[in-house]
Amino acid sequence: MKTSTKAIPKLPDAFEVFGFARDLLEWYDAQKRDLPWRINRDPYRVWVSEIMLQQTRVETVKPYYHNFMEKFPTITALADAPEEEVLKAWEGLGYYSRARNLQAAAREVKTLYGGEVPDTLEEISRLKGVGPYTAGAILSIAYEKPEPAVDGNVMRVFSRLLLMHDDIAKPATRIKTEQLVRQTIPHGRAGDFNQALMELGATVCLPRTPQCLTCPVFDYCLARREGVQHELPVKSKAKPPREVNYLVAVIPYAGALLLNKRPNTGLLADMWELPMVETAGKRTPEDELAEFLLEQYGVDVKVGEQLPTVQHTFSHLHWNLHVYACSVIEAGELPASAVFATPQEWADFAFPVAFQKILEYISHS
């Protein structure tokens, strides 16, 4: 059997000789931000924060984190909660599969590990939604295990420090960066070190405007030495999101509004929406929408004025929601997924951001 002869990348000697980890940690100890998930190192609290922070800014996460931890203070509380409550607490954060995976993993922890987050890489990596970064963050911050936690911030920092032109969009670059970070983790302060790297990328080694003159590891940075810090990291461009046009119906009836629950798989699974249909624009939107509502919901409507269009971009899709006010001519039996709900009733429903915007508009009209 062939074995890999590919060498593990090595750090420059200066990192060890002059104390890269020491310099970074001294800066972190003095300058780290006061963040709610840093109050203690409880693995569940660390886990929730790391999942929330994926694809989301720190300032956006703070109030959600406070609210989530109040509602679900323990793994058992999260595992036992109805999914609808979890999605409602996540409402507005986006990437809702994170919330569903987090709850599914919490149930695994409750069942398999007695409610205690496992402290080995093998076990924690089996949990739903826990990838290499999240596993490294929990193990290092909560358990002081010398595991790297490499996110986009860390890859940007190391690309500049080591003058790496590897494409950070490729999995191989993350693996290479993990190997390099692992060599720098100091004994006994793995969690602080990983957080310091992330903090450096978030506050100093910024994507477009790196603050090199205030960087605590300025002297180690090869990109700065060559004057090319603004050119790194290298990242191939993702495909632009596909544009999709939908017709959306606002249908009030007897003090309530027609709402539909999305399927339990796929995009925005189990969340609530206003009735909507993708359109190719081959007929008038009024005719297309009225026919769809009669066929799918058993509701005969008159399509009225067009309300403001709402746009929302996902990683792979761009929604244009063309919204129409409708009045009911006759209402038949609704499908199982749909209800006429009053504002008091839908207050507990979890809606995607795009539909929150529509509901907010009509509530103030």
Side-chain angles (χ1 to χ4, degrees), residues 217-229:
V217 289
F218 177 97
D219 291 328
Y220 301 87
C221 186
L222 301 181
R224 189 273 313 168
R225 195 175 301 171
E226 297 293 326
V228 295
Q229 62 269 31

Side-chain angles (χ1 to χ4, degrees), residues 258-263 270 272 295-298 332-340 349:
L258 182 57
L259 300 171
N260 180 67
K261 192 171 189 180
R262 294 176 66 87
D270 279 332
W272 289 85
E295 289 182 356
Q296 296 296 318
Y297 293 93
E333 184 177 350
L334 296 175
S337 62
V339 295
F340 277 105
F349 293 1

Side-chain angles (χ1 to χ4, degrees), residues 24 33 52 85 106 110 122 134 152 161 187-188 192 196 212 221 234-235 258 305 310 350 356:
L24 182 62
R33 291 170 292 178
M52 284 191 169
E85 287 185 17
K110 178 187 174 184
E122 182 181 6
T134 304
L161 282 170
H187 178 71
D192 284 343
C212 295
C221 186
V234 173
K235 185 177 183 181
L258 182 57
E305 72 170 309
V310 172
Q356 291 178 46

Side-chain angles (χ1 to χ4, degrees), residues 35-308:
L35 301 175
W37 40 89
R38 289 178 177 167
I39 293 172
N40 60 48
R41 293 174 182 258
D42 174 75
Y44 171 61
R45 292 177 62 89
V46 172
W47 184 8
V48 172
S49 71
E50 293 298 341
I51 296 297
M52 284 191 169
L53 287 165
Q54 293 172 13
Q55 310 288 336
T56 312
R57 295 173 61 85
V58 166
E59 292 306 314
T60 301
V61 166
K62 283 181 180 179
Y64 282 95
Y65 182 78
H66 280 298
N67 178 59
F68 198 90
M69 296 310 300
E70 284 184 7
K71 287 182 178 295
F72 316 111
T74 65
I75 282 181
T76 299
L78 178 59
D80 293 344
E83 185 184 85
E84 188 80 29
E85 287 185 17
V86 177
L87 290 175
K88 185 65 179 177
W90 205 273
E91 185 183 57
L93 267 181
Y95 299 94
Y96 294 94
S97 60
R98 294 180 298 171
R100 284 186 285 270
N101 288 343
L102 178 60
Q103 185 178 38
R107 288 169 176 166
E108 292 174 10
V109 170
K110 178 187 174 184
T111 301
L112 299 176
Y113 303 105
E116 297 292 329
V117 179
D119 64 355
T120 69
L121 184 60
E122 182 181 6
E123 290 175 321
I124 204 167
S125 296
R126 293 197 196 110
L127 300 176
K128 193 170 181 65
V130 175
Y133 165 76
T134 304
I138 298 170
L139 292 174
S140 62
I141 298 170
Y143 295 118
E144 284 298 350
K145 298 295 179 83
E147 294 291 339
V150 173
D151 65 355
N153 282 321
V154 176
M155 283 197 284
R156 181 171 62 256
V157 167
F158 266 73
S159 291
R160 289 170 174 166
L161 282 170
L162 302 182
L163 199 60
M164 290 166 49
H165 289 85
D166 308 65
D167 183 353
I168 65 169
K170 294 183 176 180
T173 304
R174 177 187 56 79
I175 294 171
K176 178 179 179 179
T177 307
E178 286 175 346
Q179 293 170 335
L180 290 163
V181 170
R182 192 182 297 277
Q183 297 171 48
T184 68
I185 298 174
H187 178 71
R189 295 202 67 184
D192 284 343
F193 180 77
N194 280 334
Q195 290 183 92
L197 283 177
M198 290 183 268
E199 191 91 344
L200 187 70
T203 63
V204 177
C205 196
L206 302 173
R208 294 181 180 83
T209 56
Q211 308 297 301
C212 295
L213 294 180
T214 61
C215 179
V217 289
F218 177 97
D219 291 328
Y220 301 87
C221 186
L222 301 181
R224 189 273 313 168
R225 195 175 301 171
E226 297 293 326
V228 295
Q229 62 269 31
H230 292 88
E231 299 172 19
L232 294 172
V234 173
K235 185 177 183 181
S236 55
K237 290 186 177 180
K239 291 170 58 177
R242 179 171 64 89
E243 193 159 322
V244 188
N245 288 286
Y246 286 99
L247 303 177
V248 179
V250 176
I251 310 173
Y253 184 66
L257 199 65
L258 182 57
L259 300 171
N260 180 67
K261 192 171 189 180
R262 294 176 66 87
N264 59 10
T265 58
L267 182 66
L268 303 174
D270 279 332
M271 301 194 76
W272 289 85
E273 65 184 2
L274 294 161
M276 61 187 286
V277 59
E278 185 176 351
T279 175
K282 294 181 179 179
R283 293 184 293 157
T284 68
E286 291 83 359
D287 288 346
E288 192 171 356
L289 187 56
E291 182 178 316
F292 164 75
L293 293 169
L294 187 59
E295 289 182 356
Q296 296 296 318
Y297 293 93
V299 179
D300 189 10
V301 304
K302 178 182 178 181
V303 179
E305 72 170 309
Q306 184 172 2
L307 305 179

